[in-house]
Amino acid sequence: MTRLERNKLADKLFKVVAICATAVALVFLAALVIDLIYDGAGRIDWSFITSFPSRRPARAGIIAAIAGTFWLMGLTALFAFPIGVGAGIYLEEYAKKNTFTKIIEVNIANLAGVPSIIYGLLGLGIFVRTFRLDQSLLTGALTLTLLILPIIIITTREALRAVPSGLRQASYALGASQWQTTYSQVLPVAMPGILTGTILALSRAIGETAPLVAIGALTYIAFLPESVMDPFTALPIQIFNWVSRPQKGFAINAAAAIIVLLCITLVLNSIAIYLRHRFKKRMRW
Amino acid sequence: MVENKTVFNIEELKAWYGTKQVLKGISLKVQANKVTALIGPSGCGKSTFLRCLNRMNDFIRDFRHEGSILLNDQDLYSSDIDPMDIRRQVGMVFQRPNPFPKSIFDNIAYGLRIYGEKNKTVLAGIVEESLKKAALWKEVKDNLKQNALTLSGGQQQRLCIARAIAINPEVILFDEPCSSLDPIATTKIEELIEELKDDYSVVIVTHNMQQAARCSDYTGFFMLGDLIEFDDTKKIFTTPSNKLTEDYITGRFG
């Protein structure tokens, strides 16, 4: 075999290996989705969406869980976005780059990797016990906020760092202050990136079960929450509850609820992709 | 060299990035309503020098300086001077055109808006006047709402000049303004610089010796952090008194 032939063979081989690697991931994902649809798609109808949970699988629904999930999502976004973006702006634009900020930086990156159950226990200790917020929506949202804050801070910093320095200089050279520069020039350019990160973080948060279980979110809720102090359930909790029941009917309900949760996640991620696409088109220099 | 009004009086300016000294004691006077060109090989400190004149070096960590820069007799680096105030008196046009990703109108109005100008008629008036002075009005007058990034490179650079003019500075600094432009766009910018000196004092850093020869009144030749020679442009390019200057302008190195 000549050198050229060997190179060509190696080239082909690598291509095959890469395709196989991709296929493994896709096959498992496809198997999961097909299995779910096979089990659960038939169960999804209007009454399933709009009914409260019940002891009888055929009459049970997910309205309380959906309401809880949307409440959590809204509240978490409300808390996490301003705090996370604020911290990101401070660390990237204002903080002096010294050992202290480097330590903070490393720790934030670490926090993003801490298992979510730990955040649940933190929420239990702080919000449930110390602040006596009980198993309320507020507790759930604040706990999820802690969970996704590191991710939002990191993506905010990355988005700010991606803004060309020429833009900042142009603004400063006109006599603008740091805040004017950040607010009117840098943030608008970084915003799609920040939003993308926030939405991806949120879509992770609404799939989280462990922290909600740790703070003791209820599974049987027969009313819709009306204030942030009301107890709640959420889709992952409802699913967790149903799959742990012995009856076959609940397993089907769980599959159906998973499909709904996947759809919500899919919509969120699509918005994130759309924003990223627009971001790329807008910044050309 | 005939003295008229001096805008910048720089004495023994030394500058460091960390431990690396980039300016080794520069003394030079910038005359009002004249074009002063700074030439020299890459890394000779001419851009650093330029950025001292509107305190844009403040953003570079480890930057340190000694010596004094007087702008109309006020010390640029004295503690009671606000750098933002200095930058309104000393505008800057950068190497690469850097318009904001906003409309043409908003690009020019930005410098006025950050100082609280809200009156639409006033803004529109200054935008038009600035664009006319920057020789861009005819090309864009019907598309002021268009995003500035859709303009060509040369147009973008003239927009940046209009943006600098809009806040009515006393001096405009140009940091190699044509290095990313084609010859035709370059000619337009050079003609513009000639006209600008009626209203402003201009300092221009350039790699291009012909450019310095064509559009400046005074020329300073920098090398390795030293100002080798500073004189009338005509004298520098015809009868330089320093051997290094002569070697550089005749293309023996650089």
Side-chain angles (χ1 to χ4, degrees), chain A residues 97 166-178 180-181 184-185 188-189 282-285, chain B residues 51 56 59 61 84 87-88 90 92 94 96 98-102 110 114-115 149-150 163-164 167:
Chain A
K97 307 276 180 279
L167 196 68
R168 290 186 179 85
Q169 294 196 356
S171 176
Y172 286 132
L174 290 168
S177 67
Q178 185 163 15
Q180 284 168 333
T181 301
S184 348
Q185 302 300 344
V189 174
R282 248 182 52 183
M283 274 320 290
R284 282 190 305 122
W285 64 269
Chain B
R51 282 159 178 268
M56 284 302 277
F59 301 107
R61 259 194 306 158
M84 290 189 275
R87 293 184 200 118
R88 292 187 77 78
V90 185
M92 188 166 209
F94 295 84
R96 283 187 57 196
N98 55 359
F100 303 124
K102 296 174 189 283
Y110 178 67
I114 55 178
Y115 270 68
L149 294 177
T150 58
R163 187 172 65 184
I167 55 172

Side-chain angles (χ1 to χ4, degrees), chain B residues 37-79:
Chain B
L38 307 176
I39 59 170
S42 301
C44 64
K46 54 194 191 304
S47 281
T48 304
F49 178 79
L50 193 74
R51 282 159 178 268
C52 286
L53 301 183
N54 65 344
R55 294 194 53 173
M56 284 302 277
N57 280 327
D58 289 16
F59 301 107
I60 297 168
R61 259 194 306 158
D62 305 335
F63 175 79
R64 192 161 66 78
H65 84 287
E66 279 172 17
S68 76
I69 305 173
L70 300 182
L71 169 62
N72 299 327
D73 299 326
Q74 57 178 1
D75 185 355
L76 227 59
Y77 279 90
S78 103
S79 56

Side-chain angles (χ1 to χ4, degrees), chain A residues 126-139 142 228-230:
Chain A
I126 297 178
F127 304 125
V128 181
R129 300 257 166 83
T130 311
F131 292 152
R132 308 219 164 275
L133 297 174
D134 298 327
Q135 279 80 23
S136 63
L137 275 168
L138 196 57
T139 301
L142 288 172
V228 295
M229 292 311 293
D230 283 345

Side-chain angles (χ1 to χ4, degrees), chain A residues 236-252:
Chain A
I237 299 280
Q238 185 67 68
I239 293 163
F240 179 65
N241 173 258
W242 275 338
V243 291
S244 55
R245 301 277 194 94
Q247 295 98 316
K248 178 86 175 86
F250 283 120
I252 293 170

Side-chain angles (χ1 to χ4, degrees), chain A residues 24-274:
Chain A
V24 170
L26 284 180
V27 163
F28 279 102
L29 190 67
L32 176 74
V33 171
I34 290 167
D35 186 50
L36 279 175
I37 291 174
Y38 182 75
D39 286 344
R43 182 68 185 86
I44 300 176
D45 54 22
W46 191 239
S47 81
F48 179 70
I49 303 279
T50 56
S51 296
F52 285 103
S54 159
R55 277 185 297 125
R56 275 175 292 172
R59 285 184 53 185
I62 53 171
I63 185 66
I66 289 182
T69 289
F70 279 111
W71 266 96
L72 278 183
M73 219 158 70
L75 287 173
T76 306
L78 198 69
F79 299 139
F81 186 73
I83 302 176
V85 173
I89 291 176
Y90 172 74
L91 287 173
E92 192 60 33
E93 304 281 331
Y94 286 87
K96 289 215 170 71
K97 307 276 180 279
N98 53 27
T99 323
F100 181 65
T101 45
K102 247 180 216 150
I103 292 172
I104 293 181
E105 216 165 285
V106 170
N107 276 291
I108 289 175
N110 255 333
L111 282 177
V114 167
S116 57
I117 183 103
I118 308 287
Y119 285 99
L121 296 173
L122 184 68
L124 181 69
I126 297 178
F127 304 125
V128 181
R129 300 257 166 83
T130 311
F131 292 152
R132 308 219 164 275
L133 297 174
D134 298 327
Q135 279 80 23
S136 63
L137 275 168
L138 196 57
T139 301
L142 288 172
T143 306
L144 291 179
T145 299
L146 292 182
L147 176 73
I148 63 171
L149 259 183
I151 309 175
I152 296 184
I153 294 174
I154 291 170
T155 48
T156 300
R157 297 191 59 183
E158 276 165 6
L160 290 173
R161 213 172 304 157
V163 176
S165 65
L167 196 68
R168 290 186 179 85
Q169 294 196 356
S171 176
Y172 286 132
L174 290 168
S177 67
Q178 185 163 15
W179 170 241
Q180 284 168 333
T181 301
T182 306
Y183 181 76
S184 348
Q185 302 300 344
V186 179
L187 264 187
V189 174
M191 200 39 90
I194 294 173
L195 285 179
T196 306
T198 306
I199 292 169
L200 289 179
L202 270 183
S203 85
R204 181 190 162 192
I206 62 154
E208 280 292 348
T209 324
L212 298 181
V213 170
I215 60 167
L218 304 178
T219 52
Y220 181 81
I221 295 280
F223 57 86
L224 294 179
E226 275 164 4
S227 88
V228 295
M229 292 311 293
D230 283 345
F232 69 101
T233 189
L235 276 170
I237 299 280
Q238 185 67 68
I239 293 163
F240 179 65
N241 173 258
W242 275 338
V243 291
S244 55
R245 301 277 194 94
Q247 295 98 316
K248 178 86 175 86
F250 283 120
I252 293 170
N253 282 357
I258 292 172
I259 295 173
V260 174
L261 183 59
L262 278 181
C263 287
I264 295 174
T265 315
L266 200 67
V267 168
L268 283 179
N269 290 355
S270 312
I271 296 172
I273 290 168
Y274 170 74

